[in-house]
Amino acid sequence: MDIHRQQDLESTLSRIAAALERIAPAPARAPDLSIADCFVFEPPMTLRPVPQVSRVPISLLTGIDRARDILLTNTRRFAEGLPANNALLWGARGMGKSSLVKAVHAEVNATVPEARLKLIEIHREDIDHLPALMGFLRESPYRIVLFCDDLSFDHDDTSYKSLKAVLDGGVEGRPRNVVFYATSNRRHLLPRSMMENEQSTAISPGEAVEEKVSLSDRFGLWIGFHACSQDEYLAMVDGYLAAYAVPHDAQDARRAALEWYTTRGSRSGRVAWQFVQDYAAERGHRID
């Protein structure tokens, strides 16, 4: 090859390399956590600030006193720089699992002077991005609660394996400034039929089930939520009516609240709140 052809080839290759660099995506930058206290993660590496968080004051979360105290203590220790556990809030629907996480975050920031606690919500379908997100958060000066609401896995879903490594395993381990809170209706996060199928078809049934159950073992705290009693349900209603100054007659509100949950077929904090919204609207009272 003569010198001119070689020079032409080198020039062509240089132009191709420069063009590829121009169209290549820019490297992801670490999210700025100073602009808000709460964020929603959006792939591949965006944290969308939430200026107004939808949450209930912790004082209005009735009937879950033990769960409240456990999670509040764990989160306060974490905010103070002490060791803290990942937490799995599991159990009955509508009993305030996700509301408690958001309320505890606000309470700790309000009552712990040195707290610089951030809450980042990651959706179930984005769990595969957790390792990359953890890498960014590891260098942050803030302490961060990563929160996944309604976490569970289906039969053909293998992303739970990456979650296991992120929570407690892997070479680097969980960052000291990050703790992971999740809510779920399932204590083991996997459908019972999935574990039973593994047990019936595996060569070593016990080992197959252990591998599935070990995911929930990554959570140092298992906090159970159970259906509330009628008295607890009515106490929730009374608390909401008083907190939002809804004009009412005590006996009339009690009768209407009982009728409301009877038609719904269940009692929970969510049902109590839905009743109060309807009761207030019927009387032309705004709830802010």
Side-chain angles (χ1 to χ4, degrees):
M1 179 182 299
D2 61 48
I3 187 65
H4 296 294
R5 292 181 61 186
Q6 182 176 352
Q7 290 174 343
D8 290 342
L9 179 59
E10 291 176 352
S11 176
T12 300
L13 292 175
S14 296
R15 291 198 302 271
I16 293 173
L20 290 174
E21 288 182 359
R22 287 195 298 272
I23 65 175
R29 294 185 298 176
D32 181 7
L33 298 182
S34 66
I35 60 177
D37 282 342
C38 184
F39 300 83
V40 173
F41 173 77
E42 296 177 346
M45 194 52 62
T46 298
L47 293 180
R48 176 170 54 82
V50 180
Q52 185 66 40
V53 180
S54 174
R55 57 183 159 214
V56 176
I58 199 167
S59 60
L60 291 182
L61 297 178
T62 306
I64 55 172
D65 295 2
R66 182 174 179 274
R68 176 201 63 206
D69 293 344
I70 292 173
L71 193 67
L72 185 57
T73 298
N74 190 69
T75 310
R76 183 174 285 123
R77 289 171 177 168
F78 176 65
E80 293 171 347
L82 298 172
N85 278 303
N86 300 317
L88 174 62
L89 289 68
W90 66 277
R93 305 186 313 273
M95 280 304 297
K97 297 186 292 294
S98 60
S99 294
L100 180 59
V101 173
K102 292 181 286 186
V104 161
H105 168 252
E107 179 71 10
V108 168
N109 272 345
T111 58
V112 179
E114 66 274 24
R116 306 172 70 192
L117 196 61
K118 305 296 180 178
L119 180 67
I120 299 177
E121 181 176 14
I122 182 169
H123 296 139
R124 158 66 191 86
E125 57 270 21
D126 299 328
I127 287 295
D128 283 340
H129 294 272
L130 259 181
L133 178 59
M134 287 286 200
F136 278 115
L137 299 181
R138 186 181 297 274
E139 305 303 322
S140 173
Y142 299 99
R143 302 190 75 76
I144 299 152
V145 175
L146 266 177
F147 169 50
C148 185
D149 192 23
D150 198 20
L151 178 64
S152 61
F153 299 92
D154 297 324
H155 294 271
D156 56 351
D157 194 341
T158 59
S159 60
Y160 73 90
K161 295 182 179 180
S162 61
L163 177 59
K164 283 169 58 176
V166 165
L167 289 181
D168 205 28
V171 175
E172 294 182 299
R174 174 167 59 89
R176 293 179 180 272
N177 64 323
V178 178
V179 72
F180 190 86
Y181 290 175
T183 69
S184 178
N185 294 331
R186 303 167 179 164
R187 183 171 60 175
H188 292 301
L189 302 174
L190 302 165
R192 179 179 296 274
S193 58
M194 180 179 180
M195 291 190 287
E196 290 174 347
N197 182 63
E198 291 282 351
Q199 191 170 20
S200 63
T201 59
I203 297 176
S204 301
E207 292 180 1
V209 174
E210 280 293 317
E211 202 267 338
K212 305 297 187 208
V213 173
S214 65
L215 172 58
S216 54
D217 285 344
R218 288 334 196 244
F219 295 89
L221 294 179
W222 288 5
I223 305 176
F225 289 70
H226 308 284
C228 62
S229 67
Q230 179 172 293
D231 288 343
E232 288 172 332
Y233 166 76
L234 292 173
M236 294 172 186
V237 169
D238 289 341
Y240 285 131
L241 291 173
Y244 295 102
V246 180
H248 66 283
D249 173 78
Q251 291 301 318
D252 176 71
R254 175 187 173 88
R255 177 198 57 76
L258 292 175
E259 181 179 348
W260 181 272
Y261 94 69
T262 301
T263 59
R264 293 295 302 271
S266 66
R267 293 187 298 261
S268 69
R270 181 180 297 146
V271 171
W273 173 240
Q274 290 168 344
F275 162 73
V276 169
Q277 287 183 302
D278 182 80
Y279 193 83
E282 187 177 337
R283 284 148 184 78
H285 183 78
R286 295 180 181 275
I287 295 180
D288 297 323

